[in-house]
Amino acid sequence: MKLVVVGAAGRMGQTLIRAVDAVEGVSVSAAIELSGSPHLGKDSGELAGIGTNGVAVTDDALTAFAAADGVLDFTIPKASVEFAGLAAQARIVHVIGTTGCSAEDEAKFSAAARHARIVKSGNMSLGVNLLAVLVRQAARALAASDFDIEVLEMHHKHKIDAPSGTALLLGEAAAAGRNVNLSEHEVKVRDGITGARDEGAIGFATLRGGSVIGEHSVMFAGEGETIEITHRATDRLLFARGAVKAALWAHDKKAGRYDMLDVLGLERD
C-alpha cells in the first residue's frame, strides 16, 4: 500500500515515516510539506532518521495523491480539510489524526467521505480507544447524582489546541454513557466565583508543559470515593502505528467515514 505522509518534516510526520518503514506491506510514496519549506527536496528518510529512502519532500500534493493508495495526516484543520478534498478526488484512504477541528471542518470531512475512505480519530492508539469504551461503561453505571466526571489532560508546550482531541473523545464517551449531549454539559473553563458545580457537568482540565507526549485521566468523583482511569503515552510511535493500521484496514473498505473503534473492532455499547 502506497502512503503519502503530509507534514513530513514535523515531529509527527517524521514519526509516521519511521512507522511506515517498519511495517510490511506499506511504503512511503510521497512526503508533503508546505510551499517554501526549507525541507523541500530533502530525502524524507534522512529527515526521519532512518537513512535514505529515495522519496524527496515535495509540495505537490495533487500529483502525490493521484499516485497513492492513502494518506496519513496529523497536520492542522485547514490543511486536513484541503487534503480530504484531494483524497476524495483520488478516491483513496485518508487517515486523519488532526485535532482542533470545527463543526464546519467535520462537515467537510463527512462530505469528502462520500468518495474517500476517511478514518478520523482524536487518538489512534489501542489503549486510548479501549479507555474510551471503559469510560462510557463507567459513566453508564455511575449515576450523575452520585458521581461527578472530570477529564484531565497534559501535553507538551508546543500543542496548539485545548482541550486535546483525546480529551474531547473521552468526554464524548462519558456523555454517551449518560445518554446526554456533551456540548450541553461540558465545562471547559473555570475562573472567579463559579458557584457550585452543576449536577451532570463534565469538566475538563488542561495542562501544558515540557515534552509530555500525552497523559489523560477520567475521574469519577463521588462522596467518599474516587475512581480514576488513566492512559499515558510515552512514545509518538504508538499513534503512528495506529494510523498505519487504520490505513491498511480501510484499504479495501467502501467509501465512508470511520473511526478507530471500527478499525480495532471495539464495541460501542
Side-chain angles (χ1 to χ4, degrees):
M1 187 176 184
K2 296 180 291 184
L3 297 175
V4 177
V5 174
V6 295
R11 287 187 299 273
M12 197 61 206
Q14 293 177 41
T15 305
L16 287 166
I17 292 169
R18 292 195 293 273
V20 173
D21 183 69
V23 176
E24 289 189 14
V26 294
S27 62
V28 175
S29 62
I32 305 298
E33 265 296 335
L34 293 171
S35 298
S37 167
H39 300 290
L40 294 178
K42 294 182 180 178
D43 185 274
S44 59
E46 291 186 349
L47 275 178
I50 58 173
T52 302
N53 66 2
V55 179
V57 178
T58 177
D59 60 1
D60 188 358
L62 181 62
T63 299
F65 281 39
D69 299 306
V71 55
L72 306 179
D73 175 7
F74 287 70
T75 56
I76 59 174
K78 181 179 179 181
S80 290
V81 167
E82 181 179 344
F83 293 140
L86 293 177
Q89 183 176 330
R91 286 169 165 71
I92 60 176
V93 174
H94 186 190
V95 178
I96 306 173
T98 303
T99 58
C101 299
S102 67
E104 182 180 356
D105 296 332
E106 296 293 348
K108 290 178 180 178
F109 294 139
S110 295
R114 291 197 292 266
H115 301 293
R117 284 147 284 164
I118 289 182
V119 183
K120 185 177 186 296
S121 177
N123 194 295
M124 297 286 173
S125 83
L126 170 60
V128 163
N129 284 279
L130 177 59
L131 174 61
V133 172
L134 296 175
V135 167
R136 186 166 61 250
Q137 293 173 344
R140 182 180 295 121
L142 304 173
S145 58
D146 297 323
F147 285 86
D148 301 316
I149 300 176
E150 288 288 309
V151 182
L152 294 77
E153 60 105 340
M154 183 169 185
H155 283 83
H156 54 86
K157 63 186 178 183
H158 301 292
K159 188 166 180 60
I160 61 174
D161 59 307
S164 69
T166 302
L168 294 173
L169 182 154
L170 295 172
E172 290 285 2
R178 289 193 168 164
N179 197 29
V180 298
N181 190 316
L182 179 61
S183 65
E184 297 173 0
H185 291 79
E186 65 189 8
V187 177
K188 294 179 178 175
V189 178
R190 295 188 179 103
D191 184 42
I193 307 301
T194 63
R197 180 191 177 101
D198 292 333
E199 183 177 296
I202 298 174
F204 290 83
T206 298
L207 302 175
R208 293 287 178 267
S211 59
V212 176
I213 292 174
E215 296 183 1
H216 297 85
S217 294
V218 180
M219 180 185 297
F220 296 86
E223 293 293 336
E225 62 179 334
T226 299
I227 302 165
E228 192 169 341
I229 314 174
T230 299
H231 178 274
R232 293 185 177 91
T234 58
D235 190 336
R236 284 187 178 84
L237 267 174
L238 73 96
F239 308 125
R241 286 193 293 263
V244 174
K245 182 182 181 72
L248 286 167
W249 177 87
H251 193 194
D252 61 355
K253 299 298 184 290
K254 295 180 180 179
R257 184 160 177 176
Y258 306 95
D259 61 23
M260 285 303 288
L261 293 183
D262 298 312
V263 175
L264 299 169
L266 292 173
E267 296 291 337
R268 298 179 185 276
D269 297 310

